[in-house]
């Protein structure tokens, strides 16, 4: 049954007005934090988002923005917790999975990064950043596999050596870690 059947028209109008006000207030908090961040006031930007989250702890935009800022500050554990929670609370959104993958990749957890990216792409196949990130992960995994193959060989292989050299060169050109 439609939600409006249970609420009187006047009450529904007031609820919609309140929701619009709350959503614009939250957007204002994110915009204020972004302005602070861009002005170099990073601790203040984080504090702005955290204060807003005290009022609306489940707000997606606030949580996502805080996760991105924590990532940028190198606060991996905090960012990981935020994006993991977002993937659980909003399992149909691709972006939290993409950011979670970036964190896993940064920690050298390539298989976990791949899983998160595949989930992002299952949700949104045209997600360009997730596609690119998956390509980077697969390249790093290929290099890792070539290294393992080389380490377990008894005789040198010129084709394997070439693959290793080429993937290493590409990783360096792209400024990607081979981990």
């Amino acid at each position: 049954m439609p939600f409006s059947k249970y609420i009187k028209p006047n009450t529904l109008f007031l609820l919609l007005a309140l929701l619009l006000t709350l959503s614009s207030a939250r957007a204002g908090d994110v915009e204020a934090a972004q302005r602070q961040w861009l002005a170099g006031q990073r601790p203040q930007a984080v504090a702005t988002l955290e204060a807003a989250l005290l009022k609306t702890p489940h707000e997606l935009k606030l949580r996502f923005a805080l996760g991105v800022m924590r990532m940028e500050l190198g606060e991996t554990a905090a960012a990981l917790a935020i994006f993991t929670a977002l993937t659980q609370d909003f399992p149909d959104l691709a972006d939290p999975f993409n950011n979670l993958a970036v964190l896993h990749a940064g920690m050298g957890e390539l298989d976990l990064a791949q899983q998160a990216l595949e989930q992002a792409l299952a949700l949104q196949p045209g997600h360009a950043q997730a596609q690119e990130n998956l390509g980077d992960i697969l390249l790093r995994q290929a290099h890792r596999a070539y290294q393992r193959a080389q380490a377990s060989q008894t005789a040198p292989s010129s084709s394997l050596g070439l693959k290793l050299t080429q993937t290493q060169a590409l990783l360096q050109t792209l400024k990607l870690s081979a981990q």
Side-chain angles (χ1 to χ4, degrees):
M1 283 195 165
F3 182 68
S4 59
K5 278 200 158 199
Y6 295 105
I7 299 176
K8 295 179 183 176
N10 291 348
T11 307
L12 182 60
F13 177 77
L14 290 173
L15 281 174
L16 288 173
L18 178 62
L19 286 173
L20 289 173
T21 303
L22 287 175
S23 113
S24 66
R26 290 180 203 135
D29 291 327
V30 171
E31 289 171 4
Q34 287 173 335
R35 281 192 303 277
Q36 291 169 324
W37 184 267
L38 294 173
Q41 302 169 333
R42 292 180 169 197
Q44 295 90 334
V46 169
T48 296
L49 292 176
E50 288 176 338
L53 279 166
L54 289 175
K55 298 173 198 163
T56 55
H58 301 293
E59 172 57 35
L60 170 63
K61 290 179 183 178
L62 293 172
R63 292 167 64 191
F64 191 87
L66 182 61
V68 170
M69 288 182 185
R70 294 284 188 205
M71 271 178 64
E72 291 293 320
L73 291 170
E75 298 174 6
T76 304
L80 192 62
I82 291 168
F83 287 115
T84 298
L86 285 172
T87 63
Q88 293 165 353
D89 296 344
F90 302 94
D92 56 338
L93 296 179
D95 284 324
F97 284 101
N98 181 61
N99 286 33
L100 186 60
V102 170
L103 290 166
H104 283 303
M107 296 184 300
E109 299 170 344
L110 301 182
D111 296 332
L112 290 174
Q114 181 181 357
Q115 289 171 10
L117 289 166
E118 287 173 351
Q119 181 62 36
L121 292 168
L123 293 166
Q124 187 180 345
H127 194 294
Q129 190 61 56
Q131 288 284 2
E132 180 179 351
N133 290 341
L134 181 59
D136 293 344
I137 294 301
L138 293 173
L139 178 62
R140 289 171 64 184
Q141 287 175 322
H143 184 74
R144 181 178 67 184
Y146 295 148
Q147 286 178 317
R148 289 177 181 164
Q150 185 181 46
S152 61
Q153 280 191 331
T154 55
S157 164
S158 60
S159 67
L160 180 58
L162 178 62
K163 291 174 186 177
L164 214 86
T165 302
Q166 293 296 322
T167 56
Q168 181 63 42
L170 187 53
L171 288 168
Q172 288 174 343
T173 300
L174 299 174
K175 295 178 176 48
L176 295 173
S177 164
Q179 291 182 4

